[in-house]
Amino acid sequence: MKRLSARIAAVVGLCLIVSGCGYYHYNHGPVLEDPSIEYIDDRPPLPRREAKPAQPVSNSVWIDGYWTYAGTQFQWVPGYWDSRPLARYWVNHRWVHTNSGWYMRPGRWSDIPPADYRTNS
């Protein structure tokens, strides 16, 4: 039974490899990035260190400030306290670098704690 399961897994894996992970658009190769994302060439500045004001209520979460790109320059958006929705975790805004340039991945509330989750806000 183990040998059969291993063979099935190998065949499925081979099919996935042979079929490819991306899809092709015309003759320009695989399209792996979202065309709605706006990319920029400039590397974003390092995040600023901000002093956190006192936590207003016990279930509030500090949302770190971040750099946004507005037309031709970066602008700092300061951090703030926000109420935590029940059983949700804040995932910070972050800049991602790809072959197409830099883009902002907006912060969001998630059901799954991020890898850098800290229990104390």
Side-chain angles (χ1 to χ4, degrees), residues 5-87:
S5 296
R7 285 183 183 174
I8 291 172
V11 168
V12 169
L14 183 60
C15 289
L16 288 172
I17 290 170
V18 171
S19 68
C21 296
Y23 64 92
Y24 284 84
H25 180 71
Y26 301 109
N27 292 325
H28 302 292
V31 176
L32 301 174
E33 295 174 346
D34 185 344
S36 67
I37 294 175
E38 286 188 45
Y39 293 92
I40 60 171
D41 294 327
D42 298 332
R43 180 186 189 111
L46 293 174
R48 290 183 178 173
R49 291 183 60 94
E50 294 183 290
K52 293 181 192 176
Q55 187 175 18
V57 292
S58 62
N59 74 330
S60 59
V61 174
W62 179 254
I63 308 297
D64 288 333
Y66 60 94
W67 289 103
T68 188
Y69 195 77
T72 60
Q73 64 184 1
F74 288 97
Q75 293 180 343
W76 180 251
V77 177
Y80 59 94
W81 288 103
D82 197 6
S83 296
R84 178 194 314 265
L86 188 60

Side-chain angles (χ1 to χ4, degrees), residues 64 90-92 113-119:
D64 288 333
W90 179 253
V91 179
N92 281 323
D116 63 349
Y117 178 71
R118 296 179 306 272
T119 55

